[in-house]
Amino acid sequence: MRISEIFYSIQGEGMLVGVPSVFVRTSGCNLRCVWCDTPYTSWAPEGGDWTVDRIMETVGTFPADHVVVTGGEPMIAPQIVELTQRLRQLGRHITIETAGTVTAAVACDLMSISPKLKNSTPFERDGGRWAPQHERLRWQPGVLKELMAAYEYQLKFVIADPQDLAELEQMRQALEAPRGKVLLMPEGTNAETIRQRGLWLAEICKERGYRFSPRLHVDLWGDKRGV
């Protein structure tokens, strides 16, 4: 498997925010979000080839009961099924961070699904050459419903503008997802941008019954790797 990094931190997003976790970040993605905060796993994938044994040995050096398999898009990583099964044998709680465009028979305790809104499409970045593929793949309701039926899940949406809410609501209704399973997260790679957007986004969550997700790791450490 191509691994970008493995590190020990706290979960910064979603229902398990604040939980000490080992992060296994795979490299490679089938999408190209314009605001991607890990471009070293998508726009310019980097990392080395790791065996599952080596990954397991590294994970075992950290005193955490929770492991987050993230990316990039971990669901397209070779041996993702074997890796998650081995983590389950180790007795770890497994969160998988995915855009929900592909599925695999993984072992998972929390499927953290982040369907991409149109605000993610790179119409201009890199000459717009990734936009057609991104638009074609970013919304896969059949795959999303399959993941939601098979696993405990959360739906995290990155919100950049109040106008994003109309598309979000269309997606939620199409998936028949309870509002309590939907988390809204302000887009941004620095604490001030996230705070400013979070102020109006929190009010929307209060009005519509969605859950608000911070980006705690950005608040604490900024836009850095390995945190």
Side-chain angles (χ1 to χ4, degrees), residues 49 60 95 102 174:
D49 291 329
T95 297
V102 293

Side-chain angles (χ1 to χ4, degrees), residues 58-72:
T58 304
V59 169
T61 64
F62 299 107
D65 294 326
H66 287 68
V67 176
V68 181
V69 184
T70 185

Side-chain angles (χ1 to χ4, degrees), residues 121-153:
T121 303
F123 290 110
E124 297 181 4
R125 182 170 174 174
D126 209 12
R129 68 187 186 94
W130 290 102
Q133 173 179 308
H134 185 94
E135 273 292 288
R136 177 173 56 85
L137 294 177
R138 68 178 176 86
W139 170 235
Q140 300 292 327
V143 173
L144 291 166
K145 289 180 180 180
E146 184 176 342
L147 293 172
M148 292 163 63
Y151 302 98
E152 180 65 26
Y153 72 92

Side-chain angles (χ1 to χ4, degrees), residues 6 11 38 45-46 52 80 87-88 93-94 121 129 159 172-175 185 188 190 195 200 202 204 221 224:
I6 299 178
Q11 176 59 269
T38 57
E46 60 183 55
V52 173
I80 185 63
L87 290 169
R88 173 61 52 78
H93 179 285
I94 305 163
T121 303
R129 68 187 186 94
I159 305 297
R172 186 194 70 80
Q173 292 180 9
L175 298 173
M185 188 169 65
N190 62 77
R195 188 193 72 82
W200 54 258
I204 289 173
W221 297 293
K224 295 181 180 180

